[in-house]
Amino acid sequence: MTKLLNPLPPRGTLGMDVLNRIKDLLLTGRVMPGERLSLRSMAEALGVSMMPVREAVYRLISDQALEVAPNRSIRVPVMSAEQFDEITRIRLLIEGYAVREAAAHVTPALIQSLRDLNQELALRMSEGGDSLGKAVLVNKALHFSLYETAHMPMLMKIIESSWLRIGPVLNYDLRSGSERTENQTAVGHHARMISALEQADADAAAAALQDDIRSAYCYIVEKQWPKKAPDVSVQSALS
Protein backbone atom coordinates (compact mmCIF):
# COMPACT_ATOMS: atom_id res chain seq x y z
CA MET A 1 0.00 0.00 0.00
CA THR A 2 2.74 2.49 0.90
CA LYS A 3 4.03 2.52 -2.70
CA LEU A 4 0.64 3.91 -3.74
CA LEU A 5 0.73 6.82 -1.29
CA ASN A 6 2.29 10.20 -2.05
CA PRO A 7 2.91 13.10 0.36
CA LEU A 8 -0.21 15.12 1.06
CA PRO A 9 -0.34 18.75 -0.12
CA PRO A 10 -0.21 21.37 2.70
CA ARG A 11 -3.94 22.17 2.65
CA GLY A 12 -7.29 20.91 3.87
CA THR A 13 -8.01 19.09 7.10
CA LEU A 14 -5.13 16.70 7.70
CA GLY A 15 -7.10 13.93 9.41
CA MET A 16 -9.76 13.89 6.70
CA ASP A 17 -7.17 14.03 3.92
CA VAL A 18 -5.38 10.99 5.35
CA LEU A 19 -8.65 9.11 5.78
CA ASN A 20 -9.78 9.89 2.23
CA ARG A 21 -6.42 8.84 0.75
CA ILE A 22 -6.56 5.44 2.46
CA LYS A 23 -10.25 5.06 1.61
CA ASP A 24 -9.48 5.67 -2.04
CA LEU A 25 -7.01 2.79 -2.12
CA LEU A 26 -9.70 0.47 -0.73
CA LEU A 27 -12.53 1.81 -2.89
CA THR A 28 -10.55 1.35 -6.09
CA GLY A 29 -9.20 -2.07 -5.19
CA ARG A 30 -5.54 -1.06 -5.29
CA VAL A 31 -4.75 -3.12 -2.20
CA MET A 32 -5.13 -6.86 -1.89
CA PRO A 33 -7.20 -8.92 0.57
CA GLY A 34 -4.94 -9.99 3.42
CA GLU A 35 -2.38 -7.25 2.74
CA ARG A 36 -0.79 -6.02 5.99
CA LEU A 37 -0.45 -2.30 6.63
CA SER A 38 2.31 -0.51 8.48
CA LEU A 39 1.12 2.67 10.19
CA ARG A 40 4.66 4.01 10.29
CA SER A 41 5.29 3.33 6.59
CA MET A 42 2.00 4.96 5.61
CA ALA A 43 2.78 8.03 7.74
CA GLU A 44 6.20 8.35 6.10
CA ALA A 45 4.72 7.93 2.61
CA LEU A 46 2.11 10.62 3.29
CA GLY A 47 4.58 12.92 5.02
CA VAL A 48 2.53 13.15 8.22
CA SER A 49 2.84 12.05 11.83
CA MET A 50 1.54 8.72 13.09
CA MET A 51 -1.48 10.24 14.84
CA PRO A 52 -3.72 11.06 11.80
CA VAL A 53 -2.83 7.72 10.18
CA ARG A 54 -3.68 5.82 13.36
CA GLU A 55 -6.99 7.68 13.69
CA ALA A 56 -7.89 6.99 10.05
CA VAL A 57 -6.99 3.32 10.27
CA TYR A 58 -8.98 2.72 13.45
CA ARG A 59 -11.96 4.51 11.95
CA LEU A 60 -11.77 2.14 8.99
CA ILE A 61 -11.50 -0.80 11.37
CA SER A 62 -14.75 0.32 13.03
CA ASP A 63 -16.32 0.39 9.55
CA GLN A 64 -14.98 -3.16 8.93
CA ALA A 65 -12.99 -1.92 5.94
CA LEU A 66 -9.79 -2.94 7.74
CA GLU A 67 -9.25 -5.45 10.55
CA VAL A 68 -6.86 -6.35 13.33
CA ALA A 69 -5.19 -9.71 12.66
CA PRO A 70 -4.56 -12.26 15.46
CA ASN A 71 -0.95 -11.02 15.75
CA ARG A 72 -2.30 -7.44 16.22
CA SER A 73 -1.17 -6.26 12.81
CA ILE A 74 -3.58 -4.24 10.64
CA ARG A 75 -4.66 -5.82 7.38
CA VAL A 76 -7.17 -5.67 4.55
CA PRO A 77 -9.90 -8.23 5.37
CA VAL A 78 -10.02 -11.52 3.50
CA MET A 79 -13.61 -11.88 2.33
CA SER A 80 -15.44 -15.20 2.31
CA ALA A 81 -17.68 -16.31 -0.53
CA GLU A 82 -20.70 -15.95 1.77
CA GLN A 83 -19.79 -12.36 2.62
CA PHE A 84 -19.27 -11.59 -1.06
CA ASP A 85 -22.72 -13.01 -1.86
CA GLU A 86 -24.34 -10.89 0.85
CA ILE A 87 -22.65 -7.64 -0.12
CA THR A 88 -23.46 -8.21 -3.78
CA ARG A 89 -27.16 -8.67 -2.99
CA ILE A 90 -27.05 -5.43 -1.00
CA ARG A 91 -25.29 -3.64 -3.87
CA LEU A 92 -27.95 -4.77 -6.34
CA LEU A 93 -30.58 -3.12 -4.16
CA ILE A 94 -28.91 0.10 -3.10
CA GLU A 95 -26.99 0.90 -6.28
CA GLY A 96 -30.00 0.07 -8.43
CA TYR A 97 -32.02 2.43 -6.23
CA ALA A 98 -29.34 5.12 -6.56
CA VAL A 99 -29.51 4.92 -10.36
CA ARG A 100 -33.31 5.22 -10.32
CA GLU A 101 -33.11 8.27 -8.06
CA ALA A 102 -30.29 9.81 -10.09
CA ALA A 103 -32.28 9.40 -13.32
CA ALA A 104 -34.56 12.28 -12.27
CA HIS A 105 -31.58 14.66 -12.09
CA VAL A 106 -29.64 13.66 -15.21
CA THR A 107 -28.41 16.51 -17.42
CA PRO A 108 -26.85 16.49 -20.90
CA ALA A 109 -23.56 17.45 -19.27
CA LEU A 110 -23.68 14.39 -17.01
CA ILE A 111 -24.52 12.12 -19.95
CA GLN A 112 -21.48 13.43 -21.83
CA SER A 113 -19.28 13.04 -18.76
CA LEU A 114 -20.42 9.43 -18.30
CA ARG A 115 -19.77 8.69 -21.98
CA ASP A 116 -16.30 10.23 -21.76
CA LEU A 117 -15.48 8.12 -18.70
CA ASN A 118 -16.79 4.99 -20.37
CA GLN A 119 -14.68 5.67 -23.46
CA GLU A 120 -11.62 6.14 -21.26
CA LEU A 121 -12.45 2.88 -19.49
CA ALA A 122 -12.60 1.10 -22.86
CA LEU A 123 -9.24 2.62 -23.83
CA ARG A 124 -7.55 1.55 -20.60
CA MET A 125 -8.93 -1.96 -20.93
CA SER A 126 -7.71 -2.27 -24.53
CA GLU A 127 -4.23 -1.04 -23.54
CA GLY A 128 -3.97 -3.65 -20.77
CA GLY A 129 -0.90 -3.91 -18.56
CA ASP A 130 -0.36 -0.96 -16.25
CA SER A 131 -3.39 0.80 -17.75
CA LEU A 132 -5.67 -1.68 -15.99
CA GLY A 133 -4.84 0.07 -12.72
CA LYS A 134 -6.12 3.31 -14.24
CA ALA A 135 -9.22 1.45 -15.45
CA VAL A 136 -10.08 0.73 -11.81
CA LEU A 137 -10.01 4.45 -11.02
CA VAL A 138 -12.11 5.37 -14.05
CA ASN A 139 -14.70 2.71 -13.27
CA LYS A 140 -15.11 4.00 -9.73
CA ALA A 141 -15.38 7.61 -10.98
CA LEU A 142 -18.12 6.64 -13.45
CA HIS A 143 -20.22 4.84 -10.85
CA PHE A 144 -19.85 7.42 -8.10
CA SER A 145 -20.47 10.46 -10.33
CA LEU A 146 -23.82 8.93 -11.25
CA TYR A 147 -24.76 7.89 -7.71
CA GLU A 148 -23.92 11.37 -6.40
CA THR A 149 -26.44 12.81 -8.86
CA ALA A 150 -29.22 11.31 -6.71
CA HIS A 151 -28.39 14.02 -4.10
CA MET A 152 -28.81 11.56 -1.23
CA PRO A 153 -25.81 11.89 1.12
CA MET A 154 -26.87 9.06 3.43
CA LEU A 155 -27.29 6.72 0.49
CA MET A 156 -23.80 7.64 -0.71
CA LYS A 157 -22.37 6.72 2.70
CA ILE A 158 -24.03 3.30 2.49
CA ILE A 159 -22.69 2.72 -1.03
CA GLU A 160 -19.23 3.84 -0.01
CA SER A 161 -19.29 1.45 2.93
CA SER A 162 -20.07 -1.52 0.68
CA TRP A 163 -17.37 -0.48 -1.82
CA LEU A 164 -14.82 -0.19 0.97
CA ARG A 165 -15.45 -3.83 1.75
CA ILE A 166 -15.70 -5.04 -1.84
CA GLY A 167 -13.01 -2.88 -3.51
CA PRO A 168 -10.05 -5.17 -2.76
CA VAL A 169 -12.00 -8.16 -4.13
CA LEU A 170 -13.01 -6.33 -7.31
CA ASN A 171 -9.27 -5.89 -7.80
CA TYR A 172 -9.28 -9.45 -9.17
CA ASP A 173 -11.65 -8.49 -11.98
CA LEU A 174 -10.45 -5.24 -13.55
CA ARG A 175 -6.77 -5.84 -12.83
CA SER A 176 -6.54 -9.44 -13.98
CA GLY A 177 -6.62 -8.91 -17.74
CA SER A 178 -9.42 -11.47 -17.85
CA GLU A 179 -11.62 -12.42 -20.79
CA ARG A 180 -14.30 -10.21 -19.23
CA THR A 181 -11.86 -7.29 -19.33
CA GLU A 182 -10.68 -8.08 -22.86
CA ASN A 183 -14.31 -8.21 -24.02
CA GLN A 184 -14.99 -4.93 -22.18
CA THR A 185 -18.12 -6.39 -20.63
CA ALA A 186 -18.48 -3.55 -18.12
CA VAL A 187 -18.18 -0.99 -20.91
CA GLY A 188 -21.14 -2.59 -22.68
CA HIS A 189 -23.30 -2.54 -19.54
CA HIS A 190 -22.34 1.08 -18.90
CA ALA A 191 -23.24 2.05 -22.47
CA ARG A 192 -26.70 0.52 -22.05
CA MET A 193 -27.13 2.32 -18.75
CA ILE A 194 -26.11 5.69 -20.19
CA SER A 195 -28.43 5.31 -23.18
CA ALA A 196 -31.31 4.46 -20.86
CA LEU A 197 -30.57 7.51 -18.71
CA GLU A 198 -30.53 9.69 -21.83
CA GLN A 199 -33.99 8.35 -22.67
CA ALA A 200 -35.19 8.96 -19.08
CA ASP A 201 -35.80 5.22 -18.60
CA ALA A 202 -34.84 4.78 -14.95
CA ASP A 203 -35.80 1.10 -14.79
CA ALA A 204 -33.71 0.16 -17.83
CA ALA A 205 -30.75 2.13 -16.47
CA ALA A 206 -30.97 0.35 -13.11
CA ALA A 207 -31.24 -3.02 -14.86
CA ALA A 208 -28.08 -2.34 -16.88
CA LEU A 209 -26.22 -1.37 -13.72
CA GLN A 210 -27.38 -4.53 -11.96
CA ASP A 211 -26.25 -6.64 -14.93
CA ASP A 212 -22.82 -5.05 -14.56
CA ILE A 213 -22.69 -6.00 -10.87
CA ARG A 214 -23.89 -9.56 -11.54
CA SER A 215 -21.37 -10.06 -14.33
CA ALA A 216 -18.43 -9.08 -12.12
CA TYR A 217 -19.82 -11.19 -9.29
CA CYS A 218 -20.05 -14.37 -11.37
CA TYR A 219 -16.52 -13.95 -12.72
CA ILE A 220 -15.00 -13.32 -9.29
CA VAL A 221 -16.79 -16.25 -7.66
CA GLU A 222 -15.57 -18.56 -10.43
CA LYS A 223 -11.97 -17.40 -10.03
CA GLN A 224 -11.70 -16.91 -6.27
CA TRP A 225 -13.99 -19.63 -4.99
CA PRO A 226 -13.97 -22.22 -7.84
CA LYS A 227 -15.64 -24.90 -5.73
CA LYS A 228 -18.61 -22.66 -4.96
CA ALA A 229 -21.40 -22.19 -7.49
CA PRO A 230 -22.54 -18.56 -7.92
CA ASP A 231 -25.38 -17.73 -5.55
CA VAL A 232 -28.70 -18.12 -7.41
CA SER A 233 -30.28 -15.36 -5.33
CA VAL A 234 -27.63 -12.93 -6.59
CA GLN A 235 -28.05 -13.95 -10.23
CA SER A 236 -31.82 -13.66 -10.09
CA ALA A 237 -32.16 -10.73 -7.69
CA LEU A 238 -34.29 -7.93 -9.12
CA SER A 239 -34.19 -9.49 -12.58
Side-chain angles (χ1 to χ4, degrees):
M1 177 185 274
T2 53
K3 293 180 180 179
L4 300 171
L5 295 171
N6 298 313
L8 288 165
R11 59 179 174 79
T13 304
L14 184 60
M16 189 58 66
D17 287 345
V18 170
L19 177 63
N20 288 337
R21 187 69 67 86
I22 299 173
K23 271 186 176 181
D24 192 54
L25 297 182
L26 293 164
L27 288 168
T28 56
R30 287 182 286 167
V31 289
M32 300 292 288
E35 183 173 338
R36 285 179 167 78
L37 312 181
S38 165
L39 302 187
R40 186 175 302 280
S41 295
M42 286 193 290
E44 291 174 354
L46 290 168
V48 300
S49 69
M50 289 276 288
M51 183 176 295
V53 174
R54 184 180 292 110
E55 290 174 351
V57 164
Y58 279 95
R59 181 168 171 180
L60 290 168
I61 289 172
S62 70
D63 291 338
Q64 299 184 329
L66 294 174
E67 66 182 9
V68 180
N71 64 358
R72 307 303 298 169
S73 64
I74 309 299
R75 70 182 182 189
V76 179
V78 176
M79 184 171 291
S80 69
E82 290 71 24
Q83 289 172 322
F84 188 53
D85 289 338
E86 181 179 354
I87 292 179
T88 301
R89 291 198 300 271
I90 293 169
R91 290 185 64 211
L92 287 167
L93 287 167
I94 62 174
E95 293 179 41
Y97 176 69
V99 170
R100 289 187 177 90
E101 291 296 311
H105 305 284
V106 165
T107 64
L110 176 65
I111 293 294
Q112 187 58 54
S113 175
L114 293 174
R115 285 210 168 103
D116 290 344
L117 287 167
N118 205 33
Q119 288 173 2
E120 184 178 357
L121 179 61
L123 175 62
R124 299 303 182 186
M125 286 181 169
S126 64
E127 290 175 342
D130 293 341
S131 287
L132 293 178
K134 295 178 182 178
V136 175
L137 300 175
V138 175
N139 183 67
K140 183 256 182 179
L142 188 155
H143 280 259
F144 274 61
S145 65
L146 176 57
Y147 301 155
E148 287 167 356
T149 304
H151 304 304
M152 300 179 72
M154 293 302 296
L155 179 61
M156 283 303 302
K157 287 183 180 295
I158 295 170
I159 292 174
E160 182 185 79
S161 177
S162 68
W163 274 61
L164 284 170
R165 295 295 310 279
I166 207 112
V169 179
L170 291 179
N171 183 54
Y172 290 118
D173 180 20
L174 283 177
R175 285 179 175 273
S176 64
S178 64
E179 181 179 350
R180 184 175 181 274
T181 302
E182 292 173 359
N183 293 337
Q184 301 188 357
T185 303
V187 173
H189 292 310
H190 293 163
R192 284 175 45 226
M193 180 181 69
I194 296 166
S195 294
L197 288 169
E198 190 171 33
Q199 296 165 21
D201 190 338
D203 288 340
L209 178 278
Q210 288 161 347
D211 286 345
D212 183 31
I213 293 173
R214 289 192 195 94
S215 174
Y217 164 84
C218 290
Y219 170 78
I220 292 167
V221 168
E222 179 184 344
K223 296 300 180 182
Q224 297 306 311
W225 299 282
K227 294 183 179 180
K228 182 187 184 303
D231 193 312
V232 174
S233 64
V234 171
Q235 295 186 76
S236 61
L238 306 179
S239 59

